[in-house]
Amino acid sequence: MGWLDGYVALVTGGASGIGRAVVKRFIAEGCTGVGVMVRSAEQVDGLVAEFGDKVVVSVGDVRSPADNVAAVEATVARFGKLDTLVGNAGVWDFFARLEKMSTEQVAESFDEIFGVNVKGYVLAASAAAPHLRASGGSMIFTLSNSAFYAGGGGPLYVASKHAGVGLIKQLAYEFAPDVRVNGVAPGGTVTPLRGPASLGKQEKRLSEIPGFEDSVANAMPLKFIAQPEDHTGHYVLLASKANSRATTAAIIQSDGGWEIRPM
Ligand code: NAD
């Protein structure tokens, strides 16, 4: 018996990193099926090879209303309902400082970073809401230590993740009592998280920054850098109607104790 027996979920950005680990864990916890929204067609085969008929994969851009609706509809068409939306697709800004960008670059990268990290979550919520109301389900959004503290990115990434806090609270308010809305806020994690094309960083990956793993591990009171799998139990807990029935508007910090790090 898993905690998510018979559940159907949709995970955005589920081809890699934290999203992919959530897909894997949800299936292990008994999900009947998981819809996975991915950015490009090359990401489809690997998911189908690993998870077979337990997944239905939709290619799209989370900034597109139509692509979000298509991912929700594909999931419901294949598996019959939707219990859990995991909004997770994201881009990072590689610590881009405001003063190092032209004003034009600031405007373009704002649109890209907020487009993926904030608008992408709002559109996924909008597309999934009717099905989640019908199932008494829940939404879970991936935030970050950057949702609460400075220093985990530049101003655009940090502001976008802070915006996620407000989004979770207001959606929890709007959708109560039918749909719970919560978040998971990882800290530095070994993933191929990319940068924005508007800053020419679309091929750069977080985990390839020299010394990244050691510097995160050293900064964390718990003294290790997380792997994607280290966060997945929080998503299972928040998705579970039996185990989180009384929890909405909550954000679980999964960041190695960032708040209590020595200054
Ligand atoms: P990742 O790059 O493995 O996952 C992000 C996924 O989002 C990728 O699969 C990518 O293809 C997808 N994506 C990006 N833009 C998209 C778009 N426009 N449309 C559709 N899909 C798109 O990296 P990750 O670290 O697993 O990131 C997952 C989430 O975790 C993000 O929201 C990120 O901000 C957050 N996060 C990551 C870390 C970290 O250190 N890795 C820390 C805190 C929070």
Side-chain angles (χ1 to χ4, degrees):
M1 277 269 295
W3 275 22
L4 304 180
D5 276 339
Y7 278 48
V8 175
L10 170 62
V11 180
T12 72
S16 57
I18 295 165
R20 192 181 185 112
V22 169
V23 172
K24 185 172 185 175
R25 182 76 189 272
F26 273 23
I27 291 170
E29 292 289 341
C31 274
T32 311
V34 180
V36 188
M37 188 173 178
V38 305
R39 184 72 182 96
S40 66
E42 301 87 74
Q43 295 172 314
V44 176
D45 288 351
L47 281 161
V48 173
E50 183 169 359
F51 303 115
D53 61 7
K54 291 280 186 188
V55 292
V56 58
V57 186
S58 307
V59 179
D61 187 331
V62 293
R63 294 167 289 184
S64 155
D67 290 352
N68 279 281
V69 170
V72 169
E73 295 306 330
T75 305
V76 174
R78 172 75 77 84
F79 300 118
K81 61 171 182 165
L82 183 64
D83 298 289
T84 311
L85 167 70
V86 178
N88 168 79
V91 285
W92 190 49
D93 64 2
F94 284 83
F95 297 119
R97 298 174 73 95
L98 202 68
E99 289 175 303
K100 299 273 185 194
M101 294 182 267
S102 69
T103 308
E104 187 60 32
Q105 274 182 317
V106 172
E108 283 175 14
S109 48
F110 177 95
D111 287 347
E112 184 173 358
I113 292 166
F114 272 71
V116 177
N117 295 358
V118 185
K119 184 179 176 185
Y121 285 3
V122 179
L123 293 178
S126 169
H131 299 286
L132 296 175
R133 276 207 196 270
S135 66
S138 79
M139 304 178 189
I140 305 166
F141 296 100
T142 303
L143 296 187
S144 169
N145 56 307
S146 293
F148 303 100
Y149 315 109
L156 299 181
Y157 182 77
V158 172
S160 76
K161 290 298 179 181
H162 274 64
V165 176
L167 180 67
I168 286 170
K169 290 182 181 176
Q170 189 60 35
L171 291 181
Y173 178 85
E174 178 173 334
F175 289 116
D178 298 339
V179 178
R180 297 178 300 107
V181 183
N182 295 296
V184 177
T189 305
V190 182
T191 75
L193 185 62
R194 292 182 190 224
S198 49
L199 294 177
K201 297 193 187 301
Q202 66 274 23
E203 298 305 330
K204 281 194 68 144
R205 292 172 171 80
L206 170 83
S207 48
E208 290 169 357
I209 296 174
F212 169 72
E213 295 190 17
D214 286 344
S215 67
V216 171
N218 286 333
M220 298 297 179
L222 292 182
K223 295 292 173 215
F224 72 98
I225 182 160
Q227 299 296 325
E229 295 72 23
D230 293 321
H231 310 299
T232 57
H234 299 311
Y235 292 84
V236 174
L237 173 67
L238 291 172
S240 168
K241 297 170 193 178
N243 293 289
S244 283
R245 190 175 163 220
T247 300
T248 195
I251 300 164
I252 299 178
Q253 298 193 39
S254 187
D255 61 9
W258 188 260
E259 182 171 2
I260 53 161
R261 72 195 186 282
M263 300 308 280

